[in-house]
Amino acid sequence: MNTPNELKYATTHEWVRLESDGTATLGITDFAQHELGDVVYLELPDEGRALIADEPFGTVESVKAVSDLVAPLNGEVVKVNTELVDAPEAINTDPYGCWMVVVKLDNPAEADALMSAEQYVAFTEEG
């Protein structure tokens, strides 16, 4: 599985890229898309929506299952990848290039609680 070192990871299989402007870009991991299979539908929140850590903010549907997207951090959605909503299958070929939302973080230090790439790999191998 591909697990870029520069990202942070949640136990619910979302990745987080911290940006220099205090925002975070979110998507789902290679592990998650592999487990889901062919992604066929994606539901994302509207801009302006508050995300609350550990609560669902959207859904991803594959030929196998429907799964919640779970917010790894608190913040406000400032950008939504509407192109991905129109072509959700792209997640299967490039999960780290297919960001879902950009969030203005309430507290960027919360990201310290997320897993490193090494920790995430160990976490997925345990399961």
Side-chain angles (χ1 to χ4, degrees):
M1 296 286 145
N2 182 13
T3 311
N5 286 327
E6 68 275 11
L7 303 177
K8 295 284 200 171
Y9 299 88
T11 58
T12 51
H13 308 290
E14 288 80 19
W15 57 260
V16 176
R17 183 175 62 235
L18 298 171
E19 310 294 353
S20 61
D21 64 358
T23 62
T25 303
L26 311 180
I28 64 168
T29 66
D30 191 27
F31 178 87
Q33 71 79 24
H34 179 76
E35 292 293 305
L36 284 166
D38 294 335
V39 175
V40 296
Y41 179 76
L42 183 64
E43 180 182 271
L44 297 175
D46 293 329
E47 288 182 13
R49 176 169 166 197
L51 297 191
I52 299 169
D54 301 322
E55 291 194 7
F57 70 89
T59 57
V60 59
E61 183 176 338
S62 72
V63 294
K64 291 190 205 176
V66 176
S67 298
D68 284 334
L69 298 168
V70 179
L73 300 164
N74 294 299
E76 178 186 341
V77 175
V78 293
K79 193 171 183 184
V80 177
N81 189 346
T82 56
E83 291 178 12
L84 188 59
V85 172
D86 294 336
E89 65 279 0
I91 294 168
N92 293 116
T93 55
D94 188 13
Y96 299 109
C98 291
W99 61 276
M100 296 180 175
V101 295
V102 176
V103 179
K104 181 179 179 203
L105 299 175
D106 291 348
N107 180 3
E110 289 177 349
D112 294 342
L114 298 174
M115 290 182 280
S116 68
E118 184 178 315
Q119 291 167 322
Y120 182 70
V121 168
F123 172 76
T124 58
E125 289 174 351
E126 289 171 6

